[in-house]
């Protein structure tokens, strides 16, 4: 690993406050990078139909981050998660790939919970 590469981790500790739920539009999404020791976790939260879901920011097709622009994880109409690199589309609350190069696959869940209006890691 070069000095410019950052170590990645794929899980987070429980109870880390991320944001107020109403800071994410419905439908909407927001990316998060958490430093855990000397490594970094990259994930995103989607809010749709009053529910929230968390996903590891990594496409199952090629391992790239989902968004090409900060917090732009959804299609323009907010209906699906869109991988900006290869066009795979995912159901926002289940992570199931509905089309594209990883059809039949799914995003890796990032356990989160929203209680009293605050989104936290679970």
């Amino acid at each position: 690993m070069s000095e410019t590469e950052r170590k990645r981790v794929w899980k987070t500790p429980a109870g880390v406050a991320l944001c107020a739920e109403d800071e994410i539009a419905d439908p909407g999404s927001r990316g998060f990078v958490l430093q855990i020791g000397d490594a970094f976790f990259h994930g995103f939260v989607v809010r749709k139909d009053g529910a929230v879901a968390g996903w590891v920011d990594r496409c199952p097709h090629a391992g790239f981050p989902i968004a090409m622009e900060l917090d732009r994880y959804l299609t323009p109409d907010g209906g699906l998660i869109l991988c900006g690199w290869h066009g795979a589309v995912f159901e926002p609350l289940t992570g199931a790939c509905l089309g594209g190069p990883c059809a039949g696959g799914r995003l890796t869940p990032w356990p989160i919970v929203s209680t009293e209006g605050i989104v936290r890691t679970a």
Side-chain angles (χ1 to χ4, degrees), residues 30-121:
R30 184 167 172 193
F32 296 90
V33 177
L34 304 179
Q35 184 170 357
I36 300 169
D38 64 347
F40 293 85
F41 171 86
H42 295 253
F44 66 100
V45 174
V46 173
R47 185 173 178 211
K48 185 172 184 210
D49 300 329
V52 293
W55 306 106
V56 173
D57 194 357
R58 187 170 193 253
C59 182
H61 168 236
F64 295 150
I66 297 290
M68 294 177 76
E69 292 180 48
L70 184 64
D71 298 335
R72 304 259 336 237
Y73 294 93
L74 300 180
T75 54
D77 68 359
L80 298 170
I81 296 169
L82 172 66
C83 177
W85 300 97
H86 298 107
V89 289
F90 304 87
E91 201 290 317
L93 299 178
T94 68
C97 184
L98 304 176
C102 56
R106 67 179 46 253
L107 296 171
T108 302
W110 176 28
I112 61 157
V113 64
S114 181
T115 53
E116 297 179 7
I118 303 297
V119 178
R120 299 178 188 276
T121 59

Side-chain angles (χ1 to χ4, degrees), residues 11-29:
K11 295 181 181 194
T12 57
V16 176
L18 299 172
C19 67
E21 186 175 327
D22 63 8
E23 290 177 11
I24 304 171
D26 187 351
S29 59

